[in-house]
Amino acid sequence: MLEVPNEYGTWHLPGTAIEHWPADCDGSYLCNAYLKPAEIHPLSNVESNKIAGEVVIWRWCNIGPDVEIRRGTKIGSWVEIWGPVLIGQYCKIESGAKIYGPCNIGNRCFIGPNAVITNDRYPNAKQVNWKASHGTTVLEENVSVGCSAVVLPGLRLCKGAVVGAGAVVTHGILAGQTWVGVPAHKLKKGERADEDVDGGHDEFSRIAPAT
């Protein structure tokens, strides 16, 4: 990796930039010779050597060795990612998000601030030699997970799915659906879910047609 000093310290820059982008490249770190350099803040701990060019990782992140991040993805501050995790091209992982593998995230996904993708349905401090037992969590292309939402392990969120802020997702979500609430449930077309006047969270306590 190249090391370039600037006003923040030293940014570690994999790859070099050239003008032509070959059609057979998938935006992974293997194509870094064809990409503009990544920018990794010196105050972040990045153990992976699979960071593609044009990725931006801001300060105070922790990214484990078994994590691959592809072209153009932006990682906010205080993000934790521990693999095995694959993050596709042009994703946005906002500040404070936590992603625990096994997890595959497709291109152009959005993970909101403080959202968590978990890897254990039944956490227990007494566990020894823990291994994931719920399969790989999959977010297909263009999935959006709102602020402080939680996605339980082993689920598939299909293309274009949306998870509302604060939701707890316990089941897979079909393409284009929006799920909200605790536990999360499908939001029907033409309906919206709001809080009660007194601040409660009863299911669809106030439902009004879309305007």
Side-chain angles (χ1 to χ4, degrees):
M1 286 189 178
L2 300 175
E3 295 187 353
V4 178
N6 63 14
E7 66 269 27
Y8 299 106
T10 300
W11 291 67
H12 302 278
L13 308 176
T16 56
I18 66 172
E19 295 181 356
H20 303 291
W21 173 252
D24 59 345
C25 277
D26 58 2
S28 74
Y29 66 100
L30 299 174
C31 300
N32 274 353
Y34 304 97
L35 295 171
K36 294 179 181 178
E39 299 179 358
I40 302 175
H41 197 281
L43 294 179
S44 283
N45 172 44
V46 179
E47 300 177 21
S48 173
N49 62 359
K50 299 178 181 178
I51 308 300
E54 302 179 17
V55 167
V56 176
I57 299 174
W58 281 100
R59 62 192 64 163
W60 299 310
C61 294
N62 280 305
I63 297 177
D66 198 8
V67 174
E68 179 179 342
I69 303 175
R70 295 191 171 177
R71 178 189 191 190
T73 286
K74 305 294 190 293
I75 309 288
S77 300
W78 298 107
V79 169
E80 298 264 350
I81 308 175
W82 295 96
V85 171
L86 169 62
I87 299 176
Q89 301 183 69
Y90 301 108
C91 294
K92 283 190 174 182
I93 314 297
E94 296 290 352
S95 297
K98 308 290 189 291
I99 302 172
Y100 301 107
C103 179
N104 291 337
I105 297 176
N107 297 335
R108 295 179 175 84
C109 287
F110 174 86
I111 309 297
N114 300 310
V116 182
I117 298 176
T118 65
N119 63 356
D120 193 349
R121 286 177 179 260
Y122 308 104
N124 188 324
K126 296 181 180 179
Q127 291 174 337
V128 178
N129 298 323
W130 177 89
K131 292 183 180 180
S133 60
H134 300 286
T136 300
T137 304
V138 177
L139 278 61
E140 297 183 359
E141 292 185 358
N142 300 306
V143 169
S144 291
V145 178
C147 174
S148 298
V150 176
V151 179
L152 294 190
L155 303 180
R156 178 178 290 269
L157 280 56
C158 295
K159 184 176 181 179
V162 176
V163 176
V168 177
V169 181
T170 61
H171 294 85
I173 300 178
L174 297 178
Q177 292 183 349
T178 298
W179 284 49
V180 298
V182 180
H185 47 269
K186 180 183 175 183
L187 187 64
K188 297 179 181 179
K189 185 176 181 180
E191 297 176 335
R192 75 166 188 248
D194 294 317
E195 290 187 348
D196 285 341
V197 174
D198 63 2
H201 297 276
D202 293 336
E203 178 176 335
F204 293 123
S205 56
R206 288 163 51 200
I207 296 179
T211 58

